Amino acid sequence: MGMHHRRLRISCWLVLWLGCAFGAAAQTPAGVGFAAITIHDPVSGGAMPGYVFYPSARASGATRIGPYLLHATRDARPLAGAKPLVVISHGHGGSDLGHHDLAVYLAGHGFVVETLEHPGDNYHDTGGTGTAQVLVGRPIQVKAAISRLLGDPRWAALIDPGRIGVAGFSAGGYTALLSVGAIPRFDRFVSYCQAHPGDIGSCGTPTFIAGLLHRSGQPSVRAYMDAMQKELGRWGTTADPRIKAAFAMAPLGLVFGPSGLAHVDRPVFLYYGQHDQVLSPRYNALHVAPLIRTLAGIKRVPAAGHYVFLSPCSPQLAKEAPELCVDPPGVDRVAVHRQVDADALAFFRKTLGAPAR
């Protein structure tokens, strides 16, 4: 169900909040501003925090927000004119600044970039793990984030509504696929987990599953998944026709079958780590790739694991969470981010028609 072992969740929390993107300054041009926003969540009825990054004529400074060092200037005056928009969806247990290096990089090359924090699946609240609130609600929240900007005169003047893309990592990659038309079959978890009972990251622990069943009142995992399948239309369609392209990094993909991916009709770029032990490429990225007829590209990070797409860690964090921070020999996470950022830029320039800066 996209659930990680408790220890992994704690470590992920540490990565997202303590891991600064060292080396990001070297790949980010001058001229990025950013501002905090609040987004209404149609799923929970509450609010979601987020940020908007955008091109600015003012040279970027260095701004710290908690443990994050952003190479952008808060509330800098934006460059006038409509620009393409990219929304970034974080992974399980992530945050609205978990991919700030990519946001700043794209903004520095002419994009408006919006981030959001998914309720019930973020660094301080993972209570929605394995529920429809998360597995169905995430793409609904991305839709709400887009509408938030297009409905605000301050931001609408900076955005071309015909040029919108989405990027996501892990559960965020799954979210990106739903946003461009993919339809999950949650009962695929049942057959997968029966065949791979040791995959805690995707299937959860027996204790966690027992808790889900108890709270839902369902007698079995299959009944639980069938009930969640009926929730797909609860908050409206998960696909958003405004989104023209999706960039998915190490996505959860095992819930998609051929018929579910047949609905994807917009360009998709996939990235994955060769030795990903959280979301095995064989059953996720490599499983979905041949089923997406609009696949624009797929790239492997040699020898890398799942968390290579997270920001590089400080030495202290590397000691505290080596399973997430220390990459295998030969994997340079800073260099990986440099390449991923460049590939995302090239993909969105091609699919959204963004001019070079």
Side-chain angles (χ1 to χ4, degrees), residues 88-127:
I88 297 178
S89 175
H90 63 72
H92 169 66
S95 80
D96 52 7
L97 287 177
H99 298 279
H100 63 86
D101 55 333
L102 176 59
V104 170
Y105 186 82
L106 291 176
H109 287 86
F111 290 77
V112 173
V113 181
E114 181 180 21
T115 69
L116 71 155
E117 187 176 282
H118 292 285
D121 194 22
N122 56 66
Y123 73 97
H124 57 81
D125 175 18
T126 56

Side-chain angles (χ1 to χ4, degrees), residues 1 43 119 127-141 174 178 186 212 224-225 227-235 238:
M1 302 177 195
V43 177
T129 300
T131 68
Q133 175 190 356
V134 170
L135 290 172
V136 177
R138 272 174 157 269
I140 303 299
Q141 291 156 354
Y174 158 88
L178 265 69
F186 297 121
L212 281 181
Y224 180 88
M225 294 301 174
M228 188 159 59
Q229 193 72 33
K230 296 177 182 178
E231 297 286 285
L232 268 179
R234 178 177 176 182
W235 297 286
T238 53

Side-chain angles (χ1 to χ4, degrees), residues 10-20 22 310-326 333:
I10 294 173
S11 298
C12 188
W13 183 92
L14 288 169
V15 166
L16 290 163
W17 278 93
L18 297 178
C20 296
F22 304 111
L310 294 176
S311 297
C313 302
S314 66
Q316 177 184 352
L317 185 58
K319 290 182 179 180
E320 296 176 357
E323 67 273 30
L324 296 179
C325 294
V326 179
R333 193 176 293 199

